Amino acid sequence: MIDLELRNCRIYGNDESLDTICIKDGRIIDVRKGSTNQSGKWIDLEGRTVLPGYIDSHTHLMNLGLALIRLDLSNTKSRSEAIERTVEHAGASTRKVVIGYGWDETVWGEEEYLSRSELDSADKPVILFRKDMHMAVANSRALSLAGIDSRTGVVREEELRSLDPIVEPGDEEIREAIGAASRKASSEGITTVRDIMGLRTLSTVNNMDLPIRIFHIIYDREYSGQSLNLPLSWGIKMFLDGSVGSESAAHEGWDSANLKFSSEKLQSILSGYWQRGIPVAMHAIGEIAVRQAIESLKQQKGRLRNSIEHFEMLEEDWLQDIGKSTVLSSQPNFLQWSLKGGLYENKLGKMWFGRDNPFREIIDSGLHLAFGSDCMPMGPSYGIGLAVNSPHSRQRITMGEAIDAYTSGGAFLLHEEHVSGSIRTGHRADLAVFEENYLSDPTSIGTRKAEMTLLGGNVMHNTGNLMLRN
């Protein structure tokens, strides 16, 4: 007997005449036309579209989850709204410190960050992390608590570590945050993530029953010989620079200290990891950091699948220097800042307008591209919509190319291409079900949510009133 049949559906990546997926023991055992009449259970999808479960190749589930259970400012429309919600939260919450996430001054049509004085109206210590998590703004009470001297309240990059004793969650809050973030991922049709996390989070995640599969990356500052000897370990995360939004990226004309390593020091560290067979995810956003990442990976000679994370700013002829085993792990949702008058133009000038995140050129060069969200925001459909509808030819790709970067591209990065990333016999039954016209209406795809998500053939999310029948 077959465990489950998904009937009457459109199946991505398969012949249009096929309309049934047969699942047994968590695997796809057949993709066919019509029912086998041998299934113990079945679901009539009524013409809906089935995709491989999305693979989000760059997440921070802890940060996402904490925003969901603490204070989420990601949807604020103005500076005044962010401040008002913070003050209200301070008055209503029983927490001794207000910790918020996700504000973005560029969404408000402004260039100035939030400031210390604006947050002093709250009667508690307040720490608000900017959307990119590379900077925060704290009020006077919080700065005093952390022992930080900042006239504006802005805290960037390494200095953020001084806030850790205040903002670090307890064990129960870690569990709550990871649970909330995982449910959010499943609701978006995500079945697998490659998550960057600390060791405390890792020890908690390993003891949780979650609706998604989590591959983990450990920050280099927390690496120990035992930290990667676990199932679903991927490797190490290293920062070569910061972000555009916090002006800490390694960009020509900005502070030279934004580049965190000399080339010699970086190569020495990387060689140590590579000799142990450990791949490295290198965070590189500014063109100086991107060039350094490309040059350093030349020394690896293709034995491991390393990744360059974000890979936002580069010159066109640099792509020819990237080896075929390197994966470019990029975020199509970052194109939200590529429009006229957006973050990239305002921060970087007209020279870089429309030239960032060159997905078209990456794909045309035959390189491996894996899409993720960086949880800004989490949602493959949102990022795919931006990549497919970008006004800039250097960024714009087809619907199929975007979906593949969010499925088979991620599977390659995880060494999972033989068991996930597509709908075929032998692959895990990690699947996402969307409405019937999901693939045919690119202008509205950005707002679509999954109606059902299955992990290993088990339904983890279902909002489409889809009935499991015997």
Side-chain angles (χ1 to χ4, degrees):
M1 291 289 290
I2 294 168
D3 295 335
L4 176 65
E5 280 187 357
L6 302 180
R7 301 175 182 173
N8 190 19
C9 55
R10 303 176 65 189
I11 306 171
Y12 179 78
N14 284 262
D15 189 286
E16 292 184 2
S17 67
L18 305 180
D19 62 5
T20 301
I21 302 172
C22 304
I23 299 167
K24 186 174 179 62
D25 297 331
R27 299 273 180 160
I28 298 169
I29 63 169
D30 196 9
V31 181
R32 54 178 285 122
K33 180 173 178 59
S35 171
T36 63
N37 295 315
Q38 298 178 14
S39 59
K41 297 179 180 180
W42 55 277
I43 301 173
D44 184 355
L45 294 182
E46 301 173 349
R48 289 174 172 83
T49 297
V50 183
L51 274 71
Y54 281 127
I55 299 172
D56 192 324
S57 295
H58 187 119
T59 65
H60 298 273
L61 293 179
M62 176 57 67
N63 294 340
L64 171 60
L66 289 175
L68 293 173
I69 66 176
R70 288 177 172 176
L71 175 61
D72 185 2
L73 299 174
S74 62
N75 60 354
T76 52
K77 300 298 191 296
S78 66
R79 174 184 297 268
S80 60
E81 181 187 353
I83 295 170
E84 182 180 342
R85 285 179 55 182
T86 300
V87 173
E88 287 179 355
H89 185 82
S93 174
T94 58
R95 298 180 186 273
K96 294 181 179 180
V97 180
V98 174
I99 306 170
Y101 303 82
W103 62 272
D104 180 356
E105 77 288 349
T106 66
V107 172
W108 308 333
E110 300 184 18
E111 296 184 19
E112 297 296 323
Y113 301 133
L114 287 171
S115 69
R116 167 183 184 163
S117 59
E118 289 175 309
L119 303 183
D120 277 343
S121 54
D123 60 0
K124 293 179 179 178
V126 174
I127 299 169
L128 303 181
F129 288 92
R130 193 181 182 278
K131 196 169 190 175
D132 58 15
M133 293 298 294
H134 284 264
M135 65 164 285
V137 173
N139 69 359
S140 298
R141 289 181 175 87
L143 291 169
S144 176
L145 201 61
I148 297 174
D149 181 17
S150 172
R151 180 179 58 82
T152 63
V154 171
V155 184
R156 286 188 176 90
E157 298 297 333
E158 293 306 317
E159 196 174 24
L160 289 171
R161 304 281 74 79
S162 300
L163 299 175
D164 284 350
I166 305 173
V167 303
E168 283 292 305
D171 291 345
E172 188 55 40
E173 197 174 22
I174 290 176
R175 292 181 63 86
E176 185 181 358
I178 293 297
S182 297
R183 290 189 294 275
K184 165 65 174 173
S186 188
S187 75
E188 298 285 350
I190 296 168
T191 54
T192 301
V193 301
R194 188 179 65 135
D195 193 72
I196 298 101
M197 62 179 69
L199 292 179
R200 278 190 66 214
T201 303
L202 175 58
S203 65
T204 301
V205 166
N206 281 334
N207 294 306
M208 294 181 70
D209 185 16
L210 297 168
I212 60 174
R213 188 174 288 104
I214 301 176
F215 285 77
H216 63 267
I217 301 176
I218 296 298
Y219 291 106
D220 62 324
R221 63 178 179 269
E222 296 196 45
Y223 169 72
S224 69
Q226 301 301 314
S227 59
L228 293 176
N229 295 332
L230 293 168
L232 306 188
S233 293
W234 186 87
I236 293 293
K237 167 74 177 291
M238 293 186 67
F239 289 93
L240 303 194
D241 67 345
S243 74
V244 173
S246 64
E247 299 182 7
S248 55
H251 170 52
E252 186 70 36
W254 288 6
D255 190 340
S256 60
N258 289 353
L259 187 67
K260 298 182 182 296
F261 298 98
S262 68
S263 294
E264 293 77 14
K265 177 66 173 177
L266 176 62
Q267 201 61 57
S268 174
I269 295 172
L270 292 174
S271 295
Y273 287 132
W274 291 338
Q275 287 170 8
R276 297 179 180 91
I278 299 171
V280 178
M282 284 183 277
H283 169 116
I285 287 180
E287 75 278 13
I288 297 173
V290 168
R291 185 66 202 177
Q292 186 184 57
I294 292 172
E295 290 295 328
S296 67
L297 284 171
K298 283 183 178 180
Q299 310 303 316
Q300 209 276 315
K301 313 238 181 254
R303 291 185 297 275
L304 298 169
R305 292 180 189 175
N306 298 283
S307 66
I308 304 177
E309 304 299 310
H310 310 305
F311 200 72
E312 294 180 44
M313 301 166 61
L314 73 155
E315 298 294 344
E316 185 175 356
D317 59 353
W318 293 356
L319 293 173
Q320 63 190 11
D321 294 330
I322 299 174
K324 297 299 183 182
S325 65
T326 296
V327 180
L328 305 179
S329 172
S330 299
Q331 291 69 50
N333 46 310
F334 284 12
L335 298 185
Q336 64 186 291
W337 298 302
S338 286
L339 301 177
K340 184 69 176 174
L343 171 71
Y344 290 106
E345 184 178 21
N346 289 337
K347 293 286 188 183
L348 304 172
K350 295 187 181 301
M351 174 184 173
W352 282 98
F353 181 58
R355 295 182 57 229
D356 58 273
N357 296 286
F359 305 136
R360 174 75 275 144
E361 293 169 10
I362 291 171
I363 290 173
D364 288 347
S365 296
L367 298 171
H368 291 288
L369 177 64
F371 274 166
S373 69
D374 207 5
C375 298
M376 293 197 286
M378 175 178 275
S381 295
Y382 175 72
I384 289 169
L386 289 171
V388 169
N389 296 296
S390 172
H392 306 298
S393 60
R394 200 179 193 210
Q395 300 169 344
R396 190 171 57 251
I397 58 179
T398 68
M399 180 85 79
E401 289 168 337
I403 290 174
D404 289 348
Y406 244 126
T407 53
S408 57
F412 179 84
L413 175 58
L414 298 172
H415 286 270
E416 290 264 292
E417 67 267 31
H418 301 301
V419 294
S420 70
S422 59
I423 301 175
R424 64 177 65 177
T425 300
H427 276 216
R428 283 196 296 260
D430 295 352
L431 304 167
V433 179
F434 291 87
E435 58 192 85
E436 182 177 0
N437 67 343
Y438 183 75
L439 300 176
S440 59
D441 188 6
T443 60
S444 65
I445 191 174
T447 61
R448 307 297 177 84
K449 304 290 186 183
E451 297 191 17
M452 177 178 281
T453 307
L454 297 90
L455 183 72
N458 296 307
V459 177
M460 297 296 174
H461 166 78
N462 184 5
T463 57
N465 296 318
L466 297 168
M467 300 294 293
L468 184 64
R469 305 176 188 275
N470 293 314

